[in-house]
């Protein structure tokens, strides 16, 4: 099977209506989302709190694409089984979340999920090199994790390009997360990311009652990413 490097737009529900996640997910999927990105924060690894496995489990029946769960928590290992049971397809842990990321990635795969490795902006992507054979995805944070609506850190583009070289022909997705909008997505895709997470840039202007803008946003993001990928 050839590696799927087509552009995948992954709306982050951090920018959705927290009282209506089920309908929000169904709306963005109907409007063209490829994956659903779910941000779990613990108020310790990052200075913000969201939700845990019961919420992810409640969301599961509403997701028909790929449920991509981004853990911004420390420790990770005690919760891996709970997220597997909650139905995560991809479970991503931060390299910075503990001393034993190698073991964590093994445990994620051992629990039957795809394993993702996330890197904070202050971490050189070369730190992922010894771990790439344990990864299905590497998430390069293009903001400091914790909040939606921040500006993309431009120096991460060079990191994505270097990671693309390190991955070579391995079947590993490059995900970019944070500050991705119509203006920045082209540069991120051209650098080599294929899974583009976008919160504010997808949910801006729409609602479950009026989901048309979700579709317009997703199509505009995809068009800009695809055009840049072809030009690169
Ligand atoms: C940030 C989260 C992101 C966030 C992106 O810590 O991991 O997934 O929702 O939000 P935007 O697209 O608004 O930067
Ligand atoms: Zn995220």
């Amino acid at each position: 099977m050839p590696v799927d490097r087509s552009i995948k737009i992954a709306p982050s529900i951090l920018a959705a209506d927290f009282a209506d996640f089920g309908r929000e997910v169904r709306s963005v999927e109907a409007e063209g989302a490829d994956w659903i990105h779910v941000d779990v924060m613990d108020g310790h690894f990052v200075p913000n709190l969201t939700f845990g496995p019961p919420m992810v489990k409640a969301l599961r029946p509403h997701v028909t694409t790929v449920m991509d769960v981004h853990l911004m928590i420390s420790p990770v290992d005690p919760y891996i089984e709970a997220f597997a049971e909650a139905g995560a397809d991809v479970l991503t842990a931060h390299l910075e979340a503990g001393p034993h990321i190698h073991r964590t990635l093994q445990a994620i795969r051992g629990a039957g999920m795809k394993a993702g490795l996330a890197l904070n902006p202050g971490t050189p992507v070369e730190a992922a090199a010894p771990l790439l054979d344990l990864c299905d995805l590497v998430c390069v944070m293009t903001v400091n994790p914790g909040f939606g609506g921040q500006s993309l850190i431009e120096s991460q583009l060079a990191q994505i390009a270097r990671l693309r070289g390190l991955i070579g022909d391995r079947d590993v997705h490059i995900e970019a997360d944070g500050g991705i909008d119509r203006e920045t997505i082209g540069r991120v895709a051209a650098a080599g990311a294929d899974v583009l997470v976008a919160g504010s840039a997808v949910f801006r202007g729409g609602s479950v009652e009026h989901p048309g803008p979700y579709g317009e946003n997703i199509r505009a993001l995809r068009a800009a990413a695809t055009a840049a990928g072809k030009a690169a």
Side-chain angles (χ1 to χ4, degrees):
M1 272 271 284
V3 185
D4 173 19
R5 299 215 183 277
S6 64
I7 294 297
K8 290 159 284 289
I9 305 293
S12 161
I13 61 165
L14 195 62
D17 177 356
F18 269 48
D20 211 354
F21 276 148
R23 283 207 296 167
E24 287 278 43
V25 163
R26 296 204 304 275
S27 297
V28 284
E29 286 198 345
E31 294 292 335
D34 298 294
W35 290 17
I36 299 296
H37 185 84
V38 179
D39 286 307
V40 177
M41 305 185 186
D42 67 354
H44 162 73
F45 180 70
V46 290
N48 195 7
L49 268 172
T50 55
F51 43 73
M55 229 303 301
V56 175
K57 189 173 188 173
L59 199 57
R60 176 70 263 185
H62 301 277
V63 179
T64 62
T65 57
V66 172
M67 188 155 75
D68 172 36
V69 178
H70 177 195
L71 299 182
M72 286 159 275
I73 69 173
S74 173
V76 170
D77 295 11
Y79 302 101
I80 290 174
E81 273 306 325
F83 282 104
E85 214 213 302
D89 294 305
V90 182
L91 192 67
T92 297
H94 270 261
L95 181 142
E96 307 84 2
H100 299 297
I101 186 65
H102 187 284
R103 177 187 294 151
T104 299
L105 293 167
Q106 285 179 320
I108 291 172
R109 279 191 172 167
M113 296 171 284
K114 303 268 191 204
L117 171 68
L119 304 173
N120 282 335
T123 302
V125 291
E126 286 70 19
L131 302 164
L132 288 175
D133 290 329
L134 295 169
C135 295
D136 300 290
L137 173 150
V138 179
C139 173
V140 178
M141 291 307 303
T142 34
V143 298
N144 282 298
F147 301 95
Q150 305 180 76
S151 299
L152 183 119
I153 298 170
E154 294 284 337
S155 52
Q156 288 301 83
L157 296 174
Q159 289 241 77
I160 292 170
R162 294 208 310 279
L163 177 63
R164 185 70 202 80
L166 291 172
I167 287 174
D169 58 6
R170 288 183 184 84
D171 193 359
V172 179
H173 296 292
I174 299 182
E175 177 174 75
D177 185 6
I180 293 177
D181 58 22
R182 295 180 193 205
E183 196 270 317
T184 58
I185 196 168
R187 298 197 292 286
V188 178
D194 59 296
V195 183
L196 290 316
V197 177
S200 353
V202 166
F203 286 94
R204 184 174 295 138
S207 67
V208 289
E209 279 79 29
H210 179 53
Y214 295 167
E216 287 160 28
N217 292 336
I218 290 169
R219 285 189 295 277
L221 289 166
R222 191 189 308 285
T226 307
K230 283 197 184 114

